[in-house]
Amino acid sequence: MKKHDLIPFFTVLLSLVLGIVVIALLGKNPFLAYYNLLQGSGLAPKASYAGHKGMITDFTSFLNALTPMLLASLSVLIALKAGLFNIGVSGQMLAAAFVATVLVGYSELPAVLAKPLVILIGLTVGALVGGLVGYLRHRFNINEVVSTIMCNYIVQFVASFFINVFFVDPVSRQSKNIGAASRLTLVDTVVGDYKMDIPLGILVAAAAVAATVFLLGKTTLGFEIKAVGSSSRAAEYAGIRVGRTRVLAMMLSGGAAGLAGVTYYLGYFCSMQPRVLASTGYDAIAVALLGNSSPIGIIFSSFLITVISKGSTYMSSTAGVQAEMAAALTGIILLISACGAYVRERLDRWKENR
Amino acid sequence: MNTIIIDGLSFALPLFIMAIGGIYCERSGVTNLAIEGLQGFGAFCGALFAVCIAPYFAGDSPVPFYLAMVFAFLGGTLFSLLHAMLCIRFKANQVISGVVINILAMSLTEFMTKQINASIFKAASNKFVLGVSARVTVPGISSVPVLGAVFTNLYPFEPVIALIAVIAWYVLYRTPFGLHLRACGDNPHAVDAAGIEVGKVRLIAVLVSGALSGLGGICFAYSISANFSSNIYSGYGYLAIAALIFGNWKILPTLGACLLFGFARSGGYELVKILEMPSSYQDLVMVLPYVLTLLMLVFFGRKNHSPRALGVIYDKGAR
């Protein structure tokens, strides 16, 4: 069993080797490119820095990008444990962030009140949207894959309408920037000689991961969720109320997605682009898989995927490899990791035969 | 009224052909969330080919367009091999395979478009510019009121799609192969017992899905955006999935769903124009098809049932 937990590492390794081959075929230095990824994420020192910048500022802005990815993957994971596919993380993110932006982001509330309120609203709105999806599944037998896709579009266009009509910034064509008091990232904070972006959301994310570990491992609800996910029939036979468990799991999943939304749109960014959904919600499905569907595993997998995406800008400017290469590399990692179950089965059979 | 029908059809038909591909795939028991990625990759292949051969043809020649369709068809098939390999050979989770293929298609085509533009065409651009395809009006029938609009200002791909759709319907419901395919989705063990290889039937179904998705993708690239760029990934594939589930995995009801999406969309745009509302109100109208779908599912969804073996990896030894 222990040995099989290494499979994700091997898939990543294999993908990175494939990436080396591709970059080398393009005539660029693959090792330099990979090192650039680390440099761009603040995990290795760059040759030179602009004023008030350094490795530590790169690293905090990396954490800033990591936060929503981690929370979104957590959201997918919770739903997955209950045997549900939450394809609608992106929509839940936007819904939560939109409400938080309108209610708190444009208000004059002091930071002490505004920041907790943003988090609370994110959690609530996300949970409501997620709960609706769960309820539709339970009450009307509507497949959650369809209802989440529909919800994504509805949220996207409704938010886009309100942004364009009421909250648009005529220059950027995005929603007006939110006030600094409600932003979950402390931008350009002077610490010593550095000016850095401090993401408060990473604390929220850490707390959410810890809460999920506790929920799934130590509580009745967690057990029920896992039971429904493994076999809803067996769970029903054991007296677990399957429908209620599914609705609760979707509410928790939506809540995590809502948190991802506020840390993304009111932290990493400070505005919303009309008619665009963040790709984070879709990437998170694969990140959750790569993390072996365990809350601790997704810390590593979202870390890796964020290093690749965050470092890609620096890589393209230094090594001359197109930044889109990073996304392609992510795709290859995810593709190979999707075959993990097959490799596991083969290993089992090989062991039995020995 | 005519505009609503004309624009509605030109949106609904490519959607329909992708949904038919999805029906083939899902009726054989393989969940297909990869339509979005397949249509994008197909469109990429078609567009790349069209751009490469464009200099050899006159500007208004329709030949590059038809060749692009062929290559989109092939490109979609090629990429769907990946989905087939993951789902059938490697027994990966089918939903995850679909999502991964979407991510991969998006990043790969974006990367290659930029790379090819930079190295072959020496241009820093992230899209392939295609011509707007010419439109035809069938003389005679087109002057019939209301119904005539169906034959007015047709994109050349519309009759092609209609033809393929009829063939697809015939194959699925009237041939032994279609029967085997549908049986694979409901009771694969029975198919196996009858001496037919489940994996092979499913492979063909996935490939058909890829081919038809690619075809739908290039049609969208030609009709809506007149170029290939990452804009092709704006959710047509997911909409096709919604249409086929809405249509209860049957071809004719799915056509109804696609037409509903198409007409709700074009009708909404027309309404905004007639009432002289600012263009941002279009967004509100765009919500219509999705809200409608959800409501219809709430009222009629309980009768819907997916193929029984959908998403279940075929295991010979399972009981």
Side-chain angles (χ1 to χ4, degrees):
Chain A
M1 192 59 213
K2 201 82 202 184
K3 207 170 191 177
H4 292 185
D5 294 339
L6 289 175
I7 287 175
F9 291 98
F10 285 117
T11 59
V12 168
L13 208 63
L14 183 60
S15 323
L16 291 181
V17 171
L18 269 177
I20 289 178
V21 174
V22 174
I23 297 174
L25 283 177
L26 291 172
K28 310 286 197 263
N29 182 347
F31 298 102
L32 180 65
Y34 282 175
Y35 192 60
N36 290 158
L37 288 179
L38 293 179
Q39 288 173 316
S41 309
L43 299 170
K46 289 179 189 170
S48 66
Y49 286 98
H52 306 294
K53 293 284 169 199
M55 209 171 115
I56 180 76
T57 58
D58 278 340
F59 184 66
T60 56
S61 88
F62 163 76
L63 287 182
N64 203 5
L66 173 71
T67 310
M69 180 56 99
L70 185 55
L71 283 165
S73 315
L74 199 63
S75 162
V76 174
L77 175 124
I78 296 171
L80 213 56
K81 287 287 176 197
L84 299 165
F85 274 103
N86 189 355
I87 312 270
V89 175
S90 291
Q92 290 147 16
M93 283 171 66
L94 182 61
F98 177 73
V99 176
T101 300
V102 172
L103 291 184
V104 184
Y106 296 146
S107 72
E108 300 288 321
L109 289 176
V112 196
L113 270 176
K115 288 191 209 302
L117 210 54
V118 163
I119 292 173
L120 198 67
I121 292 177
L123 194 65
T124 319
V125 174
L128 283 178
V129 179
L132 173 74
V133 170
Y135 182 73
L136 288 175
R137 165 81 197 248
H138 163 53
R139 181 79 178 69
F140 298 106
N141 188 28
I142 300 179
N143 190 310
E144 78 279 0
V145 173
V146 186
S147 57
T148 46
I149 290 173
M150 294 296 123
C151 283
N152 275 353
Y153 284 110
I154 295 173
V155 169
Q156 176 186 346
F157 286 118
V158 170
S160 163
F161 169 75
F162 282 107
I163 291 170
N164 275 328
V165 174
F166 299 110
F167 308 112
V168 75
D169 179 333
V171 180
S172 68
R173 305 303 303 160
Q174 306 209 344
S175 66
K176 277 179 272 180
N177 288 354
I178 57 166
S182 50
R183 194 164 172 184
L184 297 178
T185 298
L186 307 173
V187 187
D188 285 340
T189 314
V190 179
V191 178
D193 194 26
Y194 296 118
K195 268 187 177 172
M196 55 175 80
D197 300 345
I198 301 174
L200 299 177
I202 195 77
L203 300 176
V204 179
V209 170
T212 310
V213 171
F214 178 75
L215 173 90
L216 291 174
K218 303 274 181 221
T219 63
T220 319
L221 178 63
F223 179 78
E224 288 178 346
I225 288 178
K226 284 189 290 185
V228 170
S230 320
S231 165
S232 61
R233 274 190 190 174
E236 202 174 355
Y237 187 67
I240 294 170
R241 283 191 281 169
V242 175
R244 171 181 162 274
T245 310
R246 281 199 181 126
V247 175
L248 282 176
M250 272 313 292
M251 285 183 78
L252 289 170
S253 170
L259 289 178
V262 290
T263 54
Y264 186 78
Y265 292 106
L266 290 89
Y268 187 52
F269 294 107
C270 57
S271 64
M272 290 167 292
Q273 197 181 348
R275 283 206 172 190
V276 175
L277 279 183
S279 69
T280 315
Y282 296 102
D283 295 345
I285 299 171
V287 171
L289 163 82
L290 184 62
N292 230 356
S293 302
S294 99
I296 304 298
I298 61 168
I299 297 180
F300 293 104
S301 57
S302 50
F303 197 89
L304 174 76
I305 300 299
T306 313
V307 165
I308 294 174
S309 65
K310 183 78 184 156
S312 62
T313 327
Y314 187 69
M315 175 183 76
S316 75
S317 66
T318 313
V321 180
Q322 308 268 14
E324 282 79 4
M325 177 63 208
L329 188 62
T330 309
I332 295 172
I333 293 179
L334 299 175
L335 184 76
I336 295 180
S337 65
C339 303
Y342 177 74
V343 177
R344 205 160 297 160
E345 186 192 286
R346 270 293 146 109
L347 275 180
D348 279 339
R349 203 173 295 170
W350 180 69
K351 257 188 198 160
E352 272 172 31
N353 290 344
R354 218 159 47 132
Chain B
M1 186 64 198
N2 281 4
T3 340
I4 297 178
I5 295 181
I6 294 167
D7 290 349
L9 269 184
S10 70
F11 184 79
L13 285 178
L15 200 63
F16 180 44
I17 203 73
M18 297 197 304
I20 291 182
I23 290 175
Y24 264 69
C25 192
E26 303 223 326
R27 282 309 281 268
S28 83
V30 179
T31 308
N32 194 350
L33 275 188
I35 297 182
E36 179 80 357
L38 295 175
Q39 59 98 20
F41 195 83
F44 166 79
C45 293
L48 175 60
F49 189 74
V51 169
C52 286
I53 59 163
Y56 305 105
F57 290 93
D60 55 350
S61 162
V63 180
F65 170 71
Y66 288 110
L67 284 176
M69 275 177 91
V70 172
F71 272 79
F73 193 83
L74 295 176
T77 314
L78 188 74
F79 210 61
S80 64
L81 259 180
L82 213 55
H83 190 52
M85 200 175 74
L86 284 177
C87 294
I88 301 167
R89 182 82 184 84
F90 289 134
K91 301 178 179 176
N93 182 309
Q94 298 171 358
V95 172
I96 286 169
S97 163
V99 172
V100 166
I101 281 174
N102 289 342
I103 295 174
L104 193 67
M106 215 176 296
S107 51
L108 267 187
T109 53
E110 218 169 312
F111 171 65
M112 289 198 290
T113 310
K114 245 187 162 175
Q115 194 74 35
I116 290 171
N117 268 327
S119 55
I120 298 180
F121 302 117
K122 308 284 174 223
S125 158
N126 57 359
K127 58 184 166 198
F128 296 134
V129 179
L130 306 166
V132 182
S133 83
R135 303 174 80 156
V136 278
T137 300
V138 184
I141 318 176
S142 58
S143 45
V144 179
V146 186
L147 192 69
V150 175
F151 300 95
T152 311
N153 268 343
L154 284 178
Y155 283 103
F157 61 72
E158 290 179 50
V160 176
I161 287 178
L163 182 71
I164 294 179
V166 172
I167 299 174
W169 180 87
Y170 182 82
V171 171
L172 189 61
Y173 294 111
R174 292 286 182 271
T175 63
F177 173 75
L179 183 68
H180 298 158
L181 193 150
R182 283 177 291 140
C184 277
D186 276 324
N187 194 341
H189 289 95
V191 177
D192 202 7
I196 294 149
E197 233 180 288
V198 175
K200 210 167 164 188
V201 175
R202 288 189 170 174
L203 170 69
I204 295 172
V206 175
L207 295 186
V208 167
S209 162
L212 296 186
S213 300
L215 196 63
I218 193 75
C219 294
F220 276 128
Y222 264 102
S223 65
I224 290 185
S225 49
N227 62 44
F228 175 84
S229 68
S230 54
N231 280 336
I232 195 84
Y233 301 103
S234 50
Y236 305 129
Y238 291 113
L239 202 56
I241 294 168
L244 78 90
I245 294 180
F246 191 23
N248 203 6
W249 287 271
K250 292 183 183 123
I251 288 185
L252 283 179
T254 301
L255 174 62
C258 291
L259 289 177
L260 177 78
F261 286 158
F263 291 144
R265 184 185 143 100
S266 59
Y269 276 135
E270 203 55 26
L271 193 72
V272 170
K273 233 188 271 168
I274 292 171
L275 298 181
E276 289 174 352
M277 291 191 279
S279 63
S280 41
Y281 280 77
Q282 276 178 0
D283 288 331
L284 222 46
V285 165
M286 293 288 286
V287 173
L288 272 178
Y290 310 109
V291 176
L292 263 178
T293 310
L294 268 187
L295 283 180
M296 302 280 254
L297 283 173
V298 164
F299 289 118
F300 307 114
R302 256 176 294 184
K303 269 185 271 166
N304 269 13
H305 55 92
S306 53
R308 260 175 293 171
L310 181 62
V312 183
I313 296 155
Y314 180 61
D315 178 4
K316 258 186 179 172
R319 285 160 196 263

